[in-house]
């Protein structure tokens, strides 16, 4: 019997309609379009305005998009992994609700949280289940309603994040396509540099924590930037070397969309030409768990069967890594 590899066989995505542009942010905090564009590459982001809708709304839409495009029977899905840092609720898995709502009633589901690396880690998890032969259709969704945790008076943070969702289906492949190698890392040194300090077991919610805005995401941007540049570039370089890939062997880099300068640094270390670096940060900002599948969805038409793709991400915690995957289909 041939070895089983885990391939991505379908992609879907969803972003909310409301556009929060740099121009509008200028009216909310002391910032300007030029500063945001040169420091981050972001022009606008999407925001889920409905106060009564959580991350599950975005995730369901993305999954339904995938199901419709790929003409999949949701009853055949074995497992749903919900990569998110903004679950609907602290307890009662968002993935479980999403799976039921999309009709994947034969699946089991759970949430996976590794900040901005949630989707990358989820790829590893989904692939491992498929490669083991245990499950045949694993739906991996990356979704975040970042606007629910962003403080829109904090100009260093609110300019970066947006809301969105993307989904991919992992299935067995017998021709060697799909996930080839991964290098995933984490380091608790990052715990204090990018976090929501209250609302967890360490500092449960009180009137005080609400008053002090401790339920919003805060970051030491400069420190996060430094670690992100170094680690994303190191991980990507390592995965190339380990797989004897030269820059010419790489068809695409799919990087986490946190900051265009971080992406440029990673691509620079890999000596990749700009045309191979897939980016949509200018339109969506950093959607945390959704950036990688949103990129796949936007550029799906460019990806060809057998293409070598390097994924790279960095997130709070710190968490980071790189994955080498061979694309498995041509878009119809
Ligand atoms: C947040 C980030 C864009 C800030 O860029 P930076 O070049 O590091 O800028 P600094 O934080 O050094 O701030 C420089 C100046 O701009 C100011 N500034 C910060 N945000 C600003 C904004 N939105 N508009 C205008 N000025 C701003 C600062 O107050 C500072 O002013 P000062 O020199 O008078 O103190 C950048 O650090 C970054 O992208 N970090 C990584 C964040 C990230 O990716 N997080 C998610 C990880 S997955």
């Amino acid at each position: 019997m041939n070895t089983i590899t885990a391939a991505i066989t379908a992609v879907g995505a969803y972003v909310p309609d409301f556009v929060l542009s740099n121009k509008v942010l200028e009216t909310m905090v002391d910032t300007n379009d030029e500063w945001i564009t040169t420091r981050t590459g972001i022009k606008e982001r999407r925001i889920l305005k409905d106060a009564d809708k959580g991350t599950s709304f975005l995730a369901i839409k993305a999954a339904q998009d995938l199901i419709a495009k790929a003409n999949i029977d949701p009853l055949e899905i074995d497992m749903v992994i919900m990569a998110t840092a903004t679950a609907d609720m602290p307890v009662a898995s968002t993935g479980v609700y999403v799976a039921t709502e999309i009709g994947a009633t034969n699946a089991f589901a759970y949430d996976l949280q590794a900040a901005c690396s949630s989707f990358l880690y989820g790829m590893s998890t989904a692939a491992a289940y498929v490669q083991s032969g245990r499950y045949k259709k694993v739906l991996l969704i990356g979704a975040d309603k970042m606007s629910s945790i962003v403080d829109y008076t904090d100009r260093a943070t609110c300019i970066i994040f947006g809301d969105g969702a993307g989904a991919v289906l992992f299935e067995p492949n017998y021709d060697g396509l799909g996930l080839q190698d991964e290098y995933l890392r984490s380091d608790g040194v990052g715990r204090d540099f990018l976090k929501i300090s209250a609302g967890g077991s360490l500092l449960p919610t009180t009137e005080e924590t609400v008053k002090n805005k401790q339920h919003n995401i805060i970051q030491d941007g400069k420190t996060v930037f430094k670690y992100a540049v170094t680690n994303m570039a190191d991980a990507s370089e390592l995965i190339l070397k380990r797989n004897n890939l030269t820059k010419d062997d790489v068809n695409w880099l799919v990087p986490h969309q946190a900051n265009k300068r971080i992406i440029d640094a990673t691509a620079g270390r890999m000596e990749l030409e700009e045309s191979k670096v897939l980016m949509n940060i200018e339109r969506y900002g950093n959607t945390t768990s959704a950036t990688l599948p949103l990129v796949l969805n936007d550029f799906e038409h460019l990806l060809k069967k057998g293409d070598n793709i390097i994924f790279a991400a960095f997130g709070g915690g710190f968490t980071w890594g790189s994955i080498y995957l061979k694309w498995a289909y041509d878009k119809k």
Side-chain angles (χ1 to χ4, degrees), residues 60 74 79-80 94-105 107-109 141:
I60 290 165
M79 176 181 187
V80 176
T94 303
V96 170
Y97 175 68
V98 170
T100 301
E101 288 297 302
I102 62 171
T105 49
F108 75 104
I141 308 171

Side-chain angles (χ1 to χ4, degrees), residues 14-251:
Y14 175 77
V15 288
D17 294 333
F18 183 85
V19 176
L20 177 59
S21 66
N22 290 351
K23 281 276 156 221
V24 175
L25 275 170
E26 284 180 8
T27 67
M28 297 163 63
V29 286
D30 181 15
T31 191
N32 59 77
D33 176 47
E34 204 258 331
W35 193 96
I36 301 173
T37 307
T38 52
R39 300 287 173 123
T40 69
I42 302 167
K43 281 283 183 194
E44 57 188 43
R45 36 330 268 130
R46 300 301 183 95
I47 303 294
L48 180 59
K49 278 292 191 182
D50 317 50
D52 62 339
K53 291 187 172 71
T55 294
S56 62
F57 176 81
L58 304 166
I60 290 165
K61 289 275 195 191
Q64 285 172 338
D65 180 50
L66 180 150
I67 288 166
K69 270 164 45 185
N71 197 20
I72 286 159
D73 180 355
L75 292 173
E76 288 179 5
I77 298 171
D78 299 304
M79 176 181 187
V80 176
I81 301 174
M82 176 78 227
T84 186
T86 53
D88 280 5
M89 296 182 266
V91 176
S93 164
T94 303
V96 170
Y97 175 68
V98 170
T100 301
E101 288 297 302
I102 62 171
T105 49
N106 289 321
F108 75 104
Y110 59 78
D111 296 352
L112 187 157
Q113 211 278 62
C116 288
S117 302
S118 299
F119 192 85
L120 190 82
Y121 283 19
M123 288 175 69
S124 164
T125 310
Y129 276 113
V130 170
Q131 282 157 8
S132 71
R134 202 179 290 183
Y135 302 113
K136 288 202 160 39
K137 280 188 166 50
V138 179
L139 182 67
L140 170 63
I141 308 171
D144 270 302
K145 184 184 175 185
M146 294 305 291
S147 61
S148 65
I149 55 169
V150 164
D151 172 3
Y152 284 96
T153 65
D154 173 6
R155 68 175 181 172
T157 303
C158 73
I159 55 145
I160 291 174
F161 294 103
D163 301 339
V168 300
L169 188 70
F170 273 93
E171 291 187 271
N173 184 280
Y174 303 96
D175 300 318
L177 301 172
L179 197 143
Q180 307 292 308
D181 193 16
E182 64 181 37
Y183 173 77
L184 305 179
R185 286 292 177 271
S186 61
D187 187 344
V189 71
R191 187 166 155 112
D192 284 329
F193 298 120
L194 177 55
K195 64 178 175 181
I196 296 175
S197 24
S201 57
L202 191 62
L203 185 56
T205 309
T206 61
E207 271 180 44
E208 198 72 5
T209 62
V210 173
K211 206 169 73 202
N212 294 339
K213 294 188 172 179
Q214 286 171 289
H215 298 272
N216 290 123
I217 186 166
I218 53 160
Q219 62 169 350
D220 173 347
K222 247 190 187 359
T223 306
V224 174
F225 185 87
K226 269 190 224 149
Y227 276 95
V229 164
T230 309
N231 287 321
M232 246 172 85
D234 283 355
S236 306
E237 190 181 28
L238 183 143
I239 210 113
L240 288 194
K241 287 207 172 119
R242 198 157 81 177
N243 290 279
N244 297 317
L245 296 172
T246 68
K247 64 184 171 67
D248 298 327
D249 299 320
V250 176
N251 297 96

